[in-house]
Amino acid sequence: MMETAPGAEVIINGRRCVYFGGTGYFGLQSHPEIIEAGIKAFRQYGLHVATSRTGFGNNPVLLEVEKKIAHFFGTEDAIYLPSGYLSNLILVQGLSQFYEKIFMDEGSHFSIRDAVHSAGKPVITFRHRDPEDLRIKIKEELKTGERPMVITDGLFPTFGLLAPVKDYILLIEEYDGLLCLDDAHAVGILGPKGRGTYDHFGLRGNRLYFGATLSKAFGGYGGFVPGNRDLLEKIRSSVGVYIGSTPAPTPVAAASIKAIDLVASHPEWREKLQWNTAYLKSGLRRLGLEVDDSPIPIAAWTMKTAEEMKKIQQQLFDRGVAIAYIKYVGAPAGGVLRVSIFSTHTRDHLDKLLTELKRIL
Ligand SMILES: Cc1ncc(COP(=O)(O)O)c(C=O)c1O
């Protein structure tokens, strides 16, 4: 039971501990300016608009959050959604005129798996992060004149691995298709401008789409899809989840505006996050753990049995360090131990984890 806001130090089940769980990579969820922005909007506009965006459900805050998202991601426009989970639904349905078959990474997030069947088009899975298998599947399944939509997580959350997007792009160009990323974990933290996986690889183009969430690195809340105005206007008038749902609560949208401003004006947080990541991952490797050396602030590893992993998690917790033991999508059956690294972790926090782990292992 988390009894405080998430951050580098939290209280869980009555115990103060250093926290390495969740997705608040910049520790923003309790930032005072974000909280103040939410409270101010709560007073002025109430909890929510009590209708959909296509009725009277627009207010200045909802319009502003979309402008902020578009500005941050360098696009003409953006759609703001009640959750990141819905962003894939928007992409699959909103782009359906541009593809005939969907090719989905078999390790994709739940939100992609739930979304892909919603357009009523054939869905073919390809091996996890395997462009060669994707090529084979496209060749086997696509008939002349048909175009593929390839859909995958940009950054897979369990082990913190990136999709081989450059290879996928070669394929979609060859077959006149589209590439859609669920970039929930990459936005804010990856790329020179924090725009996520495409930014990380220096890619841009009119076949490349993504959706993501403000509820992780940004410390806001809600999902979004950036894009060009014509396309998003069409989506606004045709996709059910936009037409038929109440938008995210107004205080949450206002808090998200402040969150985007903060991330945009603090690029040094990304540098600090990378420093912390390099420091912690090299320390974990020195302990003999199989952890990669990528700049992704997620370190995950498995041990022989689930019992062993649970025991390590408990022992760390008893010593004031909370790390996750998860069986999330992409994890082997026994689960994984997983550490999220924040820019707000101090050297002492990182050393505490390394010291306690060394004692236990
Ligand atoms: C890869 C991925 N996509 C989408 C989501 C859903 O985002 P949200 O929590 O904003 O609905 C999550 C988890 O929260 C996720 O891990």
Side-chain angles (χ1 to χ4, degrees):
M1 176 81 80
M2 177 82 78
E3 292 160 26
T4 54
E9 289 187 27
V10 296
I11 298 176
I12 297 175
N13 292 348
R15 172 182 280 279
R16 176 163 286 280
C17 50
V18 187
Y19 181 55
F20 292 93
T23 59
Y25 301 109
F26 298 135
L28 286 174
Q29 275 73 4
S30 60
H31 192 287
E33 290 180 44
I34 294 181
I35 293 171
E36 278 314 309
I39 291 171
K40 195 166 161 243
F42 206 165
R43 291 216 170 90
Q44 187 168 356
Y45 296 100
L47 185 57
H48 58 78
V49 291
T51 181
S52 91
R53 296 287 301 275
T54 48
F56 287 102
N58 280 309
N59 65 24
V61 179
L62 292 165
L63 296 178
E64 178 66 13
V65 73
E66 292 185 328
K67 267 198 206 140
K68 285 279 173 193
I69 295 165
H71 188 254
F72 187 95
F73 290 95
T75 52
E76 280 177 8
D77 196 359
I79 291 184
Y80 179 56
L81 296 159
S83 83
Y85 205 95
L86 298 173
S87 62
N88 298 304
L89 202 67
I90 288 272
L91 289 170
V92 166
Q93 293 180 20
L95 295 168
S96 67
Q97 63 199 315
F98 301 116
Y99 67 89
E100 280 70 40
K101 284 184 177 148
I102 296 180
F103 293 82
M104 172 180 72
D105 183 303
E106 66 184 357
S108 294
H109 188 256
F110 306 103
S111 54
I112 296 181
R113 296 187 205 182
D114 284 349
V116 283
H117 297 285
S118 68
K121 305 213 177 186
V123 177
I124 298 111
T125 51
F126 62 93
R127 270 210 301 272
H128 185 43
R129 298 175 66 242
D130 187 343
E132 262 323 297
D133 193 49
L134 174 59
R135 174 179 291 282
I136 292 168
K137 295 280 162 57
I138 288 182
K139 265 194 177 156
E140 278 172 7
E141 301 285 344
L142 220 53
K143 298 199 182 84
T144 315
E146 288 183 337
R147 299 157 300 172
M149 169 195 266
V150 176
I151 189 162
T152 171
D153 296 34
L155 173 55
F156 290 89
T158 297
F159 286 101
L161 297 173
L162 287 164
V165 286
K166 284 186 175 170
D167 297 327
Y168 296 164
I169 289 171
L170 294 179
L171 280 168
I172 56 150
E173 280 173 350
E174 197 178 320
Y175 287 91
D176 192 21
L178 307 171
L179 176 61
C180 290
L181 302 183
D182 173 338
D183 227 12
H185 285 264
V187 291
I189 62 168
L190 285 192
K193 295 197 165 144
R195 289 176 179 168
T197 301
Y198 291 133
D199 192 23
H200 174 77
F201 288 114
L203 301 166
R204 231 184 139 87
N206 56 8
R207 296 176 185 278
L208 310 185
Y209 295 88
F210 71 97
T213 181
L214 295 170
S215 65
K216 301 188 189 299
F218 282 97
Y221 190 87
F224 62 89
V225 174
N228 73 57
R229 192 158 296 130
D230 285 350
L231 175 72
L232 297 191
E233 278 309 321
K234 265 189 217 137
I235 290 177
R236 284 186 174 100
S237 62
S238 62
V239 174
V241 66
Y242 185 86
I243 299 168
S245 71
T246 308
T250 310
V252 159
S256 298
I257 292 172
K258 179 52 77 177
I260 297 168
D261 280 344
L262 285 169
V263 173
S265 56
H266 290 284
E268 76 280 6
W269 290 345
R270 277 194 290 283
E271 276 169 39
K272 178 73 186 342
L273 187 61
Q274 285 198 3
W275 192 93
N276 280 357
T277 299
Y279 182 82
L280 191 79
K281 284 189 171 178
S282 67
L284 292 170
R285 283 197 299 277
R286 274 199 301 280
L287 296 179
L289 298 170
E290 272 185 42
V291 167
D292 66 40
D293 60 357
S294 80
I296 314 289
I298 296 169
W301 66 93
T302 55
M303 309 199 83
K304 276 197 199 94
T305 63
E307 282 60 43
E308 194 181 349
M309 289 188 269
K310 282 185 208 161
K311 196 167 151 206
I312 288 174
Q313 186 200 28
Q314 185 60 49
Q315 285 176 327
L316 278 175
F317 185 67
D318 294 342
R319 292 157 186 251
V321 179
I323 74 168
Y325 163 69
I326 54 165
K327 291 184 169 177
Y328 204 60
V329 62
V336 297
L337 285 171
R338 183 178 181 280
V339 166
S340 304
I341 303 152
F342 306 159
S343 63
T344 47
H345 283 132
T346 62
R347 178 100 178 248
D348 282 352
H349 291 143
L350 303 173
D351 286 339
K352 168 107 177 136
L353 169 59
L354 293 172
T355 310
E356 299 301 346
L357 249 182
K358 192 174 177 186
R359 289 193 181 124
I360 292 167
L361 287 173

